[in-house]
Amino acid sequence: MKLLLVEDNLEDADFLAASLRRHKVSDVELNHVTTLRDAVHQLSLERFDVVLLDLHLPDGSGLECVDAIQAAEATTPVVVLSGQDDEDFALSILNKGVQDYLVKWEGETRTILRAIRYAVERKRSELRLNYLAQYDPLTEIPNRQYFQEQLERATARARREGRKVALFFLDLDQFKVVNDTLGHDAGDSLLREMADRLRRSIRAGDIVARLGGDEFAVLLEGLTGALDAETIARSILDVIAEPFHINGREVTVTTSIGITIYPNDNSDISTLLKNADIAMYQAKENGRNNFKFFTESMHAELLEYHRLEQEIREAINSELFTLVYQPKVNLITRKLEGLEALLRWNHPERGAISPNDFIPVAEQSGHIIPLGNWVLNEVCRTLNRWQATGLPVVPVSVNVSARQFQQADFHKRVAGVLQRQGVDASLVELELTERLLMEDTASAQDCLQQLKGTGVRISIDDFGTGHSCLNYLRRFPIDVLKIDKSFVHDADQSEDAAIIVEAIISLARSLQLATVAEGIETREQLSFLVERGCTVAQGFLFGQPLNHNEVVPFLEDLIDDAAGFATARLPGSAQRAS
Ligand code: C2E
Ligand code: MG
Ligand code: MG
């Protein structure tokens, strides 16, 4: 054990040396200096296991001595030597973080040695605790707390020196998939390797931290501008895109990076992290595996998001949402085949807000869960209202969002609503988007099976816009494919769209699914689809979405079988004209 004794009283120093010799203590190497300055110098040259520090030195006294030693070397334990007279003071000095104090030299050498050993022990556990408080145990890189402290220091330095700091917020794009398919151990290995690669792609002095989960942050100092940050972001993307080898398997993942630059973007630390986080989401939305700089317009977007989020919450509570129903028409029997329930929000000040604007916010904020629940209940109430007046009814479809579908008990919730409202499950169809089902096909299959068990019909909305895996499509218990309106719009004009529409219809036929063409606006589009064998259509050509009272005449038409929906309400189709 290497000991540095800082003591100007030579008698005291000799006493310690002599008693160590007397007790034949051989594992202690005693180094002696007499001034603070020499002590600081010595600490800069070599490592000591413990410093024994007198508080009355020629070039300093009291707290000053402790401060000077701690500033020179923070990780070495310090034992203060106090005279009988300043014992109270020595006690108060323990609060400065020194490990112990000894009253000179009242104990035996053994007591002194024990005190020294304990001091070393205490320092070690203190350092360990500090480490745990500052580092992520899995990846052994700094944690969020430490990162924030460093960020604070870095921005202060940048302010002083007129330089820039870049903050990266990284999120792995496919971490959940790795975790779910290869297991948590594999996920852990991936995170460790990810931390390693990140550490290797930055310069010494820059910091990589794990903020939690699969989120990492990088702090770059001394930048001249955004270009520097861009270069490093690119190299990080490249390094991460290299295949990982985990449990003997090759895994490829990508990452999305949000970048904010201080002092360009904003001033306080929490805003910086938030800005980088927002930019990261943008990078993800732009197709992942890329980076995005934070901009003020993102900030404005965020404010708008929060405003809408708040207003949706209020609108749910005050029941300001309504439903409209758009007819689906059977092109063969020319009768009303079903209805699609669509949300409407008439905002007291801002007028009608499109579902395309508020549904994404409701999804992201989670409000879609109570809202979707309200939709299903309202559809059931409407069906009951129609039936109570003796009207025939048709199945009504309800759009379901990812957030709803991903609830483990979603099928139970659906079954519960149907049961409480006394509505036959065959009268309800759930529309799920293709994208949602393709994201995690294995669990989607299970969820669909459970939903199917409740007796509802299932259709895939906006079909053709996602990346369908046909293998899965065959295994999904679905009833209907809805051809996305973008293909329907172009089908009679664009060769590509026409080919896609034909392919979807023939695929549906081979899987024995019905097809519904969405968004038919013109007779040309209608005849194109009829010729290709599409069976059901929906679109402005047949009617705008209607409120539940306006739907009544269409239901009444179903009573008179002979006249039928088509003759009474439909515009004459190309087929009929012949
Ligand atoms: P979607 O489910 O694909 O609904 C069809 C959309 O196309 C509706 O827009 C409808 O009004 C519109 N549309 C119908 N015929 C035509 C046409 O001939 N031409 C054109 N250009 N458009 C037509 P809407 O009502 O604005 O809804 C937009 C989207 O919002 C829906 O797309 C659906 O994804 C979502 N949405 C609406 N209501 C709900 C709901 O209750 N829950 C959930 N989760 N999503 C909903
Ligand atoms: Mg739909
Ligand atoms: Mg659709």
Side-chain angles (χ1 to χ4, degrees):
M1 182 156 67
K2 271 176 78 171
L3 207 148
L4 180 64
L5 174 65
V6 190
E7 171 65 89
D8 60 334
N9 184 328
L10 296 179
E11 275 174 36
D12 285 348
D14 283 345
F15 175 81
L16 180 66
S19 50
L20 289 176
R21 263 196 314 275
R22 200 167 51 243
H23 283 83
K24 301 195 173 57
V25 179
S26 55
D27 63 338
V28 172
E29 178 195 323
L30 185 63
N31 297 262
H32 178 208
V33 292
T34 54
T35 62
L36 256 189
R37 225 190 54 196
D38 286 350
V40 169
H41 180 64
Q42 208 57 36
L43 284 168
S44 74
L45 294 180
E46 45 187 328
R47 263 205 73 80
F48 290 93
D49 296 298
V50 67
V51 176
L52 284 180
L53 179 64
D54 179 40
L55 296 183
H56 302 282
L57 295 166
D59 54 346
S61 69
L63 282 179
E64 225 179 305
C65 303
V66 179
D67 286 342
I69 297 296
Q70 285 182 334
E73 173 47 58
T75 59
T76 305
V78 176
V79 174
V80 161
L81 303 174
S82 69
Q84 290 284 13
D85 51 340
D86 50 15
E87 204 178 334
D88 282 346
F89 178 65
L91 265 175
S92 73
I93 229 164
L94 280 178
N95 294 330
K96 296 248 10 154
V98 305
Q99 273 58 48
D100 206 352
Y101 76 94
L102 292 174
V103 177
K104 260 193 251 175
W105 302 105
E106 69 180 5
E108 296 176 45
T109 317
R110 228 177 303 134
T111 326
I112 298 170
L113 277 175
R114 189 161 57 219
I116 292 170
R117 291 235 156 79
Y118 284 178
V120 171
E121 224 16 78
R122 270 196 296 276
K123 187 68 187 182
R124 199 172 290 152
S125 50
E126 180 196 316
L127 288 176
R128 175 86 197 132
L129 284 177
N130 273 346
Y131 179 84
L132 289 178
Q134 296 184 325
Y135 285 80
D136 168 53
L138 176 69
T139 57
E140 297 185 343
I141 59 176
N143 61 17
R144 180 185 285 268
Q145 160 99 30
Y146 182 69
F147 186 77
Q148 272 167 334
E149 284 167 22
Q150 294 305 313
L151 183 58
E152 204 144 353
R153 283 189 202 163
T155 49
R157 268 195 298 272
R159 234 181 352 251
R160 275 199 308 274
E161 295 166 12
R163 312 242 271 176
K164 293 183 197 301
V165 171
L167 173 61
F168 289 14
F169 196 114
L170 291 90
D171 188 287
L172 276 178
D173 292 326
Q174 301 88 353
F175 184 63
K176 193 174 154 5
V177 179
V178 172
N179 237 355
D180 290 352
T181 55
L182 300 181
H184 285 272
D185 287 346
D188 286 354
S189 308
L190 178 66
L191 291 175
R192 269 195 297 264
E193 174 72 22
M194 169 93 181
D196 256 7
R197 289 188 186 186
L198 284 174
R199 211 161 26 188
R200 277 185 267 125
S201 31
I202 57 168
R203 297 162 307 180
D206 290 337
I207 294 180
V208 169
R210 180 170 175 227
L211 301 182
D214 58 344
E215 292 174 352
F216 292 85
V218 173
L219 174 65
L220 305 170
E221 280 193 73
L223 299 185
T224 47
L227 201 62
D228 291 353
E230 180 173 335
T231 312
I232 298 176
R234 279 190 204 288
S235 72
I236 288 180
L237 290 180
D238 287 347
V239 163
I240 302 300
E242 294 278 315
F244 289 82
H245 296 277
I246 286 161
N247 299 347
R249 293 177 71 153
E250 200 176 279
V251 180
T252 310
V253 297
T254 54
T255 187
S256 299
I257 307 177
I259 305 173
T260 187
I261 299 212
Y262 179 90
N264 301 19
D265 290 335
N266 229 318
S267 44
D268 68 291
I269 314 306
S270 67
T271 322
L272 278 178
L273 266 174
K274 218 179 288 164
N275 289 353
D277 190 9
I278 295 168
M280 187 278 293
Y281 267 100
Q282 291 282 325
K284 271 211 200 295
E285 288 196 350
N286 280 3
R288 303 174 168 188
N289 193 23
N290 61 19
F291 60 88
K292 192 99 197 154
F293 281 91
F294 174 79
T295 61
E296 268 311 312
S297 70
M298 288 180 195
H299 190 64
E301 223 170 271
L302 188 77
L303 290 181
E304 172 62 12
Y305 169 87
H306 284 303
R307 176 169 135 171
L308 260 185
E309 190 265 333
Q310 177 67 26
E311 289 179 339
I312 291 172
R313 187 204 315 268
E314 287 161 10
I316 293 173
N317 290 335
S318 341
E319 305 207 27
L320 291 180
F321 287 102
T322 53
L323 287 183
V324 288
Y325 301 88
Q326 189 176 32
K328 289 185 226 174
V329 176
N330 187 311
L331 296 176
I332 299 162
T333 64
R334 316 202 51 74
K335 286 186 178 167
L336 183 68
E337 170 98 359
L339 295 159
E340 175 173 6
L342 295 162
L343 266 169
R344 289 294 174 264
W345 182 13
N346 204 353
H347 191 280
E349 289 129 44
R350 291 199 269 165
I353 301 181
S354 161
N356 292 321
D357 294 330
F358 72 78
I359 294 286
V361 177
E363 283 172 347
Q364 224 178 330
S365 60
H367 293 325
I368 194 68
I369 305 244
L371 188 54
N373 189 40
W374 177 84
V375 171
L376 186 59
N377 273 287
E378 178 66 9
V379 162
C380 289
R381 281 191 288 271
T382 304
L383 278 167
N384 283 333
R385 206 176 296 148
W386 287 330
Q387 279 178 317
T389 57
L391 285 169
V393 289
V394 288
V396 179
S397 65
V398 170
N399 292 285
V400 172
S401 288
R403 279 291 271 272
Q404 297 172 268
F405 181 69
Q406 281 151 1
Q407 295 170 282
D409 60 349
F410 182 61
H411 63 287
K412 289 189 192 142
R413 288 169 183 249
V414 170
V417 171
L418 295 174
Q419 204 202 350
R420 275 193 298 281
Q421 301 266 8
V423 164
D424 194 322
S426 66
L427 284 175
V428 171
E429 179 174 301
L430 300 182
E431 293 192 5
L432 301 151
T433 61
E434 182 186 18
R435 227 174 287 261
L436 154 66
L437 298 178
M438 287 305 150
E439 218 148 72
D440 184 358
T441 43
S443 83
Q445 196 181 346
D446 291 342
C447 297
L448 283 177
Q449 217 75 51
Q450 289 171 321
L451 264 186
K452 191 73 191 154
T454 66
V456 298
R457 282 158 59 88
I458 293 170
S459 87
I460 301 193
D461 207 354
D462 306 339
F463 192 76
T465 57
H467 306 276
S468 265
C469 168
L470 293 185
N471 248 335
Y472 270 99
L473 207 53
R474 203 172 331 137
R475 281 190 248 154
F476 286 156
I478 46 182
D479 306 287
V480 183
L481 293 185
K482 290 189 82 174
I483 307 171
D484 190 64
K485 52 178 174 287
S486 60
F487 304 116
V488 173
H489 282 177
D490 299 344
D492 57 337
Q493 270 150 40
S494 131
E495 184 85 10
D496 287 349
I499 289 172
I500 291 173
V501 168
E502 280 172 9
I504 295 175
I505 294 173
S506 86
L507 171 73
R509 195 176 295 140
S510 74
L511 296 174
Q512 295 177 311
L513 306 175
T515 43
V516 177
E518 296 184 312
I520 297 191
E521 293 178 358
T522 66
R523 281 159 205 271
E524 289 72 29
Q525 290 161 358
L526 176 63
S527 46
F528 178 92
L529 283 150
V530 169
E531 278 159 28
R532 301 306 183 288
C534 178
T535 47
V536 182
Q538 180 182 354
F540 295 160
L541 183 65
F542 307 103
Q544 296 277 340
L546 310 163
N547 72 35
H548 66 89
N549 287 325
E550 294 166 331
V551 173
V552 167
F554 290 80
L555 296 172
E556 282 168 345
D557 279 334
L558 291 171
I559 304 171
D560 183 358
D561 215 14
F565 178 88
T567 30
R569 310 275 168 193
L570 271 186
S573 75
Q575 225 177 25
R576 277 181 58 80
S578 64

